[in-house]
Amino acid sequence: MESSSWPESLPGNRTKAMQELTQGQVLMNKLQEMLGQPEKIEFGYNSVDDTLVQIVGMFNKTLSILSSNSPNFNRIPQNRTHDTNSPNNWDDQRSENSIESVKTVMPIKTKRGCHKRRKSSSIFTKVTSTLIDDGYAWRKYGEKVIINSKYQRHYYRCTHKFEQGCQATKQVQKTDDEPPMYRTTYHRHHTCKNSQRGHPIILDSPNSWDSSVLFSFETNTIINRKQVRPFSSSTKHKPEEGFSCLSVDYNKVSLSNYNTWDQVTQSIQIPLEPKSMMSSGLDHEDMVSPGVYSSTCSTHQYETKDVFRSNDISDF
DNA sequence: CCCATTTGACCTGA
DNA sequence: TCAGGTCAAATGGG
């Protein structure tokens, strides 16, 4: 995984990537505008959330483009064993799978609990003061006691996993913080058509703008939870001046004080240092259908303080 | 009866 | 070896 292995076809990819980033610029401008004028936001958090999701998707698509023609990117990590009967190897190979092929593969199961643990994958984390209904249909499939944590972690998968091969999962865990927060970690993106029932439901939000937003990409799986939020969330507020843009470097995206999108794109410096993209952090399990979502090596952290309530998580 | 949840078993990666 | 992640049988509710 040396930098010398960067693909020859990069210029073409770079163009595409830049197109994606340009779209991202538009989205960022939109987001900036929304955050600057919260009173104009019709749906409050939802609009910001949707825009953020689009931006994250744009970055993932960009990463996908950059990775698509790279033999290194496309190589499944070799230190992993391959058991084609494993249900989770279905993950690895599903990118071209139709629903039918998924159905074909799925019945081939090994013993109960036989699976591959994700070594690393794209992660999108929300931290909320209360539980949320994010608008997707989730089905709980497990919960575990986590050491050094007071509360159990709850595991959910998309309801349409088997119907449509949707690989989205999420983990919900109550933090030990005071007051406790709910950390929802999303793995992979929904590829199903009808999972989303609608916008996230704000069931109890005294102030839809009592929100702070932070999300970050990381090359590896370590989630930096203690990043400074771009604006305070403790009280009713509007977004602060300090927050203005999405900053990107080799392995991190965070909301910070970039003044222009050019500064952002300059900081990206395509080609990215391949090492940071293709080593342990790369996870092609996340390669989904082209153009939909393909996050290879990123961790997104998204933090909010909105008051929500979730239908699918009842008690902790 | 169907579907979602619970929960113990089981597997993998570190 | 163990913590974390997933599976699937058992169970319960509508």
Side-chain angles (χ1 to χ4, degrees):
Chain A
M1 310 287 186
E2 303 303 322
S3 56
S4 59
S5 62
W6 193 258
E8 297 290 329
S9 58
L10 182 65
N13 288 340
R14 179 172 179 155
T15 302
K16 290 180 185 176
M18 289 307 294
Q19 288 172 354
E20 289 298 316
L21 291 172
T22 302
Q23 288 183 23
Q25 181 178 19
V26 173
L27 290 171
M28 282 305 306
N29 288 338
K30 180 182 170 186
L31 180 64
Q32 198 169 0
E33 193 175 331
M34 285 194 291
L35 292 174
Q37 299 173 295
E39 69 279 0
K40 291 188 178 178
I41 297 174
E42 190 175 355
F43 298 109
Y45 164 83
N46 293 340
S47 295
V48 175
D49 190 39
D50 290 347
T51 306
L52 283 169
V53 168
Q54 288 177 54
I55 293 167
V56 169
M58 177 273 301
F59 275 106
N60 288 326
K61 191 173 177 182
T62 303
L63 290 170
S64 173
I65 290 167
L66 292 173
S67 65
S68 61
N69 288 343
S70 165
N72 290 316
F73 271 106
N74 287 333
R75 194 171 67 210
I76 294 170
Q78 294 184 350
N79 59 344
R80 300 179 59 173
T81 57
H82 290 278
D83 172 7
T84 53
N85 290 338
S86 165
N88 280 41
N89 253 24
W90 170 58
D91 288 352
D92 293 339
Q93 298 165 1
R94 76 188 179 285
S95 54
E96 282 92 23
N97 283 348
S98 65
I99 294 169
E100 278 183 62
S101 63
V102 166
K103 286 179 178 174
T104 303
V105 173
M106 282 307 288
I108 306 173
K109 290 183 189 294
T110 54
K111 284 180 290 187
R112 177 181 177 180
C114 180
H115 65 280
K116 306 265 184 211
R117 193 197 300 183
R118 276 191 297 271
K119 206 159 145 188
S120 64
S121 66
S122 85
I123 301 170
F124 180 70
T125 301
K126 276 186 180 182
V127 180
T128 58
S129 57
T130 55
L131 297 169
I132 64 172
D133 179 350
D134 55 19
Y136 286 95
W138 297 101
R139 180 165 176 175
K140 187 175 179 179
Y141 66 85
E143 64 181 56
K144 285 291 273 189
V145 173
I146 304 300
I147 60 164
N148 297 326
S149 183
K150 281 191 271 185
Y151 307 99
Q152 289 188 315
R153 180 175 297 168
H154 300 248
Y155 299 88
Y156 298 84
R157 63 166 173 80
C158 178
T159 298
H160 307 293
K161 175 177 179 175
F162 299 117
E163 300 164 34
Q164 302 182 30
C166 181
Q167 288 299 292
T169 63
K170 72 173 181 180
Q171 301 170 4
V172 180
Q173 186 170 15
K174 196 172 178 180
T175 68
D176 294 338
D177 299 341
E178 193 59 45
M181 304 287 281
Y182 296 92
R183 179 179 300 113
T184 305
T185 303
Y186 296 86
H187 293 267
R188 303 198 185 94
H189 197 73
H190 285 275
T191 55
C192 53
K193 298 236 188 288
N194 53 346
S195 179
Q196 189 160 26
R197 301 188 300 271
H199 284 291
I201 299 170
I202 303 173
L203 293 170
D204 180 19
S205 178
N207 175 8
S208 66
W209 269 99
D210 182 17
S211 64
S212 64
V213 180
L214 182 148
F215 63 111
S216 65
F217 291 86
E218 290 186 6
T219 303
N220 294 312
T221 54
I222 299 167
I223 300 172
N224 181 5
R225 296 192 184 88
K226 294 300 178 186
Q227 295 189 48
V228 178
R229 285 192 287 273
F231 39 84
S232 168
S233 60
S234 58
T235 55
K236 182 176 180 178
H237 67 280
K238 294 192 295 185
E240 289 177 4
E241 320 61 62
F243 163 69
S244 61
C245 202
L246 190 69
S247 70
V248 183
D249 63 21
Y250 289 140
N251 58 8
K252 182 182 290 184
V253 174
S254 62
L255 296 167
S256 61
N257 294 317
Y258 283 82
N259 295 323
T260 67
W261 185 256
D262 286 342
Q263 290 178 343
V264 176
T265 53
Q266 281 169 17
S267 70
I268 295 174
Q269 288 294 321
I270 299 169
L272 300 173
E273 184 182 17
K275 181 174 158 228
S276 70
M277 302 288 291
M278 296 187 291
S279 55
S280 60
L282 181 63
D283 184 359
H284 282 272
E285 289 178 275
D286 297 304
M287 299 299 283
V288 194
S289 53
V292 176
Y293 180 82
S294 177
S295 178
T296 56
C297 58
S298 51
T299 296
H300 324 282
Q301 181 171 338
Y302 178 97
E303 187 167 338
T304 176
K305 288 273 285 184
D306 273 299
V307 179
F308 292 122
R309 187 171 161 273
S310 176
N311 289 336
D312 43 2
I313 308 148
S314 53
D315 49 10
F316 281 85

